Amino acid sequence: KMPPFSYINCAFQISDEEQGYDLDLFCIPKHYAADLERVYIPHGLILDRTERLAREIMKDMGGHHIVALCVLKGGYKFFADLLDYIKALNRNSDRSIPMTVDFIRLKSYQNDQSTGEIKVIGGDDLSTLTGKDIIDTGKTMKTLLELLKQYNPKMVKVASLLVKRTPRSVGYRPDFVGFEVPDKFVVGYALDYNEYFRDLNHICVISETGKEKYKA
Amino acid sequence: MASYLEILDDDQGHELSLFCVPKHYEEDLDSVIIPNGLIKDRTERLARDIVRDMGGHHIVALCVLKGGYKFFADLMDYIKALNQNSDKSVPLTVDFIRLKSYSNDQSTNCVKVIGGDELSALSGKNVLIVEDIVETGRTMETLLALLNECNPKMVKVASLLVKRTPRSSGYRPDYIGFEVPDKFLVGYALDYNEYFRDLSHICILSDRAKEKYRV
């Protein structure tokens, strides 16, 4: 039986069998030539999908001042491009919404009971979020959402470029999803492997050579 | 000496109606002084100059939030474009910091660096600090002194804007996008009390808006 169709949660599905594209069909930084297997999601496709997410977000949240919260470092490219598309909508339509920005990092550490705790670093005084709508880009969400609730924002939504299909999922689903991907280790478009590959435009699958070379 | 695109003191900028500006800011701006496309074109050239000078060794690009984020993102995109289209390319890692400046008892400038990885990771690397605007130059001079203690191989500063102001310490960044008059500018991530970061062009703020968005 098909689940009810919801525009808000629909995502571009990348199937488990998807092999991606040959590196030679694209422009890749020379210093990564041996470190990648395939191009998985080309940069232009990421931008096109992001443009649509911007429209969905404005439709949903465009009634009130938005605080866009970027989860560094991996979120920075998606954040910058998403905001560019939202700004494009803002300056080309009859109605537009003021938007302010902020940046946080999430440090996760285990306490004695091994329950993952997230510490939020940076960002303005979170009490300024009270009464605002927030969109949040990043990966580790449930704990952050709990934290933000204490500041009484009017509405909190999460936009994530990627959602992984994985048995390790806690069942949490962001409000806006770019691509749903298989459980592979992907890099590029600000996603890193030990800080490398953030300077790669396309989302790619890392090679064994790459994993060895950039091992911590 | 760094070259720069000079915006003259008597430059009035362009009429808002010649460009696309968010409707919620239409009453708050006097004119567009540096259009987004011009910012990008100038940034593309800075990317080339930076890779020419620093491209021999791993670059750590350090973004000074929040004002630096747009310039940083666009500059990185142009550097990446060079990297993926030339015979040689340089590995680039990124980091993000915020600077809180304050004066201590002796009235000397202090800068606290918030966020970012361990500064010791900068040792032996080519560090590129990316900033939105340099006015007095004191914040940058203090940051540079701090970073030099970590023994980087090289430290360079790229600032999109440098203000012509009598309050300047004389400090000049290594890479400069535009030299601008001593006016209050907003847009392209430059803010007035957190507003106007969501504006693509750099504009002159109206007096009316200074009141409207006053804290």
Side-chain angles (χ1 to χ4, degrees):
Chain A
K1 194 169 174 197
M2 289 285 288
F5 187 70
S6 158
Y7 270 109
I8 295 201
N9 276 324
C10 78
F12 189 117
Q13 298 281 338
I14 304 220
S15 72
D16 289 334
E17 297 76 45
E18 176 61 57
Q19 293 304 311
Y21 307 97
D22 199 301
L23 299 180
D24 291 332
L25 300 176
F26 295 91
C27 290
I28 308 282
K30 210 167 166 63
H31 58 271
Y32 289 139
D35 307 324
L36 303 165
E37 280 297 334
R38 310 280 283 174
V39 170
Y40 209 57
I41 313 179
H43 179 245
L45 178 55
I46 299 171
L47 291 183
D48 290 337
R49 179 67 189 132
T50 302
E51 182 178 23
R52 179 56 190 255
L53 291 180
R55 194 207 293 182
E56 298 303 322
I57 287 166
M58 285 307 283
K59 198 164 60 181
D60 232 37
M61 302 181 83
H64 197 71
H65 179 143
I66 297 177
V67 177
L69 200 60
C70 171
V71 180
L72 295 170
K73 305 182 196 181
Y76 104 87
K77 272 302 292 167
F78 179 47
F79 178 83
D81 291 336
L82 181 62
L83 261 63
D84 277 353
Y85 283 120
I86 291 178
K87 288 185 304 190
L89 289 170
N90 264 342
R91 59 179 181 262
N92 288 306
S93 97
D94 288 331
R95 45 174 228 136
S96 69
I97 319 300
M99 200 162 58
T100 51
V101 304
D102 205 359
F103 302 85
I104 58 174
R105 278 184 83 159
L106 304 180
K107 296 261 186 201
S108 56
Y109 54 92
Q110 309 288 98
N111 62 14
D112 289 333
Q113 280 80 41
S114 301
T115 56
E117 263 185 57
I118 310 276
K119 196 165 138 105
V120 177
I121 297 176
D124 295 329
D125 184 359
L126 289 180
S127 60
T128 60
L129 300 176
T130 304
K132 305 253 171 52
D133 296 349
I134 302 167
I135 51 172
D136 189 331
T137 60
K139 287 190 295 180
T140 319
M141 271 317 112
K142 269 196 141 172
T143 320
L144 176 61
L145 288 173
E146 276 310 304
L147 199 92
L148 291 179
K149 261 196 205 150
Q150 333 164 19
Y151 298 97
N152 295 314
K154 188 168 188 288
M155 180 201 287
V156 181
K157 299 264 176 162
V158 177
S160 184
L161 178 65
L162 305 178
V163 162
K164 261 196 188 170
R165 276 193 300 278
T166 163
R168 292 172 288 117
S169 161
V170 298
Y172 170 75
R173 189 95 182 154
D175 304 281
F176 306 98
V177 176
F179 302 85
E180 194 191 87
V181 295
D183 196 358
K184 287 185 177 138
F185 197 94
V186 288
V187 292
Y189 196 69
L191 297 168
D192 75 308
Y193 176 73
N194 295 326
E195 294 304 321
Y196 289 93
F197 302 106
R198 293 199 205 273
D199 56 331
L200 170 64
N201 263 355
H202 315 290
I203 288 177
C204 299
V205 177
I206 192 176
S207 68
E208 287 308 312
T209 311
K211 278 189 197 162
E212 262 311 301
K213 188 197 265 183
Y214 300 112
K215 202 178 358 200
Chain B
M1 277 294 288
S3 59
Y4 51 87
L5 196 155
E6 184 169 10
I7 309 265
L8 301 171
D9 285 336
D10 51 12
D11 191 336
Q12 294 305 315
H14 310 285
E15 284 285 323
L16 295 184
S17 53
L18 299 175
F19 294 91
C20 290
V21 165
K23 213 167 167 63
H24 58 268
Y25 289 141
E26 269 171 7
E27 309 293 310
D28 306 324
L29 305 165
D30 279 343
S31 63
V32 171
I33 197 153
I34 315 180
N36 183 269
L38 178 55
I39 298 171
K40 302 273 262 285
D41 290 337
R42 179 68 188 132
T43 302
E44 182 178 23
R45 179 54 192 256
L46 292 180
R48 194 210 292 185
D49 295 344
I50 287 165
V51 171
R52 178 197 64 203
D53 295 342
M54 304 180 79
H57 194 69
H58 181 143
I59 298 176
V60 177
L62 205 59
C63 170
V64 180
L65 297 169
K66 304 182 196 181
Y69 104 85
K70 266 307 290 172
F71 178 47
F72 180 82
D74 291 339
L75 183 62
M76 290 304 109
D77 279 352
Y78 284 119
I79 292 178
K80 287 184 302 191
L82 289 169
N83 266 342
Q84 63 206 29
N85 289 306
S86 96
D87 288 333
K88 49 171 219 139
S89 67
V90 54
L92 187 62
T93 51
V94 302
D95 204 3
F96 302 84
I97 58 174
R98 280 183 81 159
L99 303 179
K100 298 267 186 200
S101 55
Y102 57 96
S103 300
N104 66 11
D105 297 337
Q106 282 81 40
S107 306
T108 54
N109 234 292
C110 293
V111 161
K112 193 166 144 123
V113 177
I114 298 172
D117 297 328
E118 280 303 312
L119 290 182
S120 54
L122 300 178
S123 168
K125 303 264 171 43
N126 283 356
V127 179
L128 175 69
I129 300 170
V130 181
E131 172 73 289
D132 54 351
I133 184 166
V134 167
E135 298 190 55
T136 62
R138 294 190 218 287
T139 308
M140 216 22 69
E141 283 172 327
T142 318
L143 176 61
L144 285 171
L146 206 92
L147 291 182
N148 274 316
E149 290 173 12
C150 310
N151 295 312
K153 188 168 192 288
M154 179 198 287
V155 183
K156 300 256 184 187
V157 177
S159 183
L160 178 65
L161 306 177
V162 165
K163 249 193 194 175
R164 272 190 306 277
T165 164
R167 294 170 290 118
S168 165
S169 69
Y171 169 76
R172 293 295 272 193
D174 303 281
Y175 305 97
I176 301 172
F178 303 83
E179 195 194 75
V180 294
D182 196 357
K183 290 183 178 146
F184 204 101
L185 302 177
V186 292
Y188 196 71
L190 294 168
D191 76 310
Y192 178 71
N193 295 327
E194 293 304 320
Y195 288 94
F196 302 102
R197 292 199 206 273
D198 56 332
L199 170 63
S200 281
H201 314 292
I202 290 177
C203 299
I204 298 177
L205 189 64
S206 70
D207 289 324
R208 194 194 135 126
K210 284 181 195 162
E211 265 313 301
K212 179 179 179 186
Y213 296 105
R214 189 186 287 270
V215 171

